[in-house]
Amino acid sequence: MEITNPVFVVLDVPLKGQSVFATCFIPAGTPLFQELPIITVSDARAAAKIDSLNHAFLLLSPERKIVYLSLCNSQPVPDALISEEDIAVLGIWKTNTFVLDKEGIINGIFHMASRLNHSCHGGENARWEWCKEEGLMKFWTDQDIEVGNFSGSIRTDF
């Protein structure tokens, strides 16, 4: 995904990982970016999702694996029976996944979108929409955003 003339930047924040900051005033309704998923999984049962996730990860190019593994993992799964990479893949999935349909069957991980705080608890700065036909996630601002602010929540309306 390439963003030309970005209205925001992703910066490291000590002790908090990476956050998104506006580089200029961004009015409400501004299109921000759109991107293809790194991985999508379409299974309803938890065990099947894990199997599908592991299979999808194995099929990624080495470059895409690096992108995936660079995402935040706030839920490491301590389990001596699986490899460190499998623990990381699952933890990253649990930390960053987007539910892409009303039924909760289709889930996805995205390079840029997964770095945004995607919450359902109010105070959102941006909205997202999954365009199934195009296979793209699209983002735009939900409210005016001042320079230096941004990484508040994002939401969707199913």
Side-chain angles (χ1 to χ4, degrees):
M1 177 191 66
E2 182 179 326
I3 299 174
T4 57
N5 195 20
V7 294
F8 62 89
V9 293
V10 178
L11 300 172
D12 289 323
V13 177
L15 305 175
K16 293 189 178 193
Q18 294 185 319
S19 281
V20 179
F21 298 94
T23 59
C24 61
F25 173 78
I26 309 171
T30 300
L32 294 170
F33 65 93
Q34 60 186 21
E35 72 175 313
L36 296 167
I38 299 171
I39 291 178
T40 56
V41 173
S42 301
D43 287 304
R45 295 173 298 119
K49 270 191 181 173
I50 292 169
D51 289 342
S52 294
L53 170 61
N54 287 333
H55 180 71
F57 181 80
L58 290 174
L59 295 176
L60 291 177
S61 69
E63 296 80 16
R64 301 285 278 174
K65 284 181 181 178
I66 291 169
V67 168
Y68 185 96
L69 293 171
S70 74
L71 294 171
C72 179
N73 178 4
S74 66
Q75 301 183 34
V77 182
D79 189 336
L81 300 177
I82 60 176
S83 72
E84 281 190 45
E85 183 174 78
D86 287 345
I87 291 170
V89 168
L90 182 58
I92 289 167
W93 180 264
K94 287 181 174 184
T95 303
N96 298 286
T97 192
F98 280 83
V99 177
L100 303 177
D101 66 339
K102 292 179 185 177
E103 296 78 26
I105 294 173
I106 304 171
N107 303 96
I109 295 284
F110 299 82
H111 181 207
M112 177 60 73
S114 292
R115 295 187 185 285
L116 299 174
N117 176 7
H118 43 288
S119 172
C120 302
H121 301 294
E124 296 85 2
N125 285 336
R127 289 182 185 247
W128 62 270
E129 177 179 293
W130 171 247
C131 300
K132 184 178 179 179
E133 304 78 34
E134 300 174 63
L136 288 172
M137 181 84 90
K138 296 182 180 183
F139 285 85
W140 62 96
T141 55
D142 199 32
Q143 61 184 341
D144 291 347
I145 300 173
E146 299 296 327
V147 175
N149 292 330
F150 191 147
S151 63
S153 300
I154 56 177
R155 69 182 169 123
T156 184
D157 296 318
F158 279 123

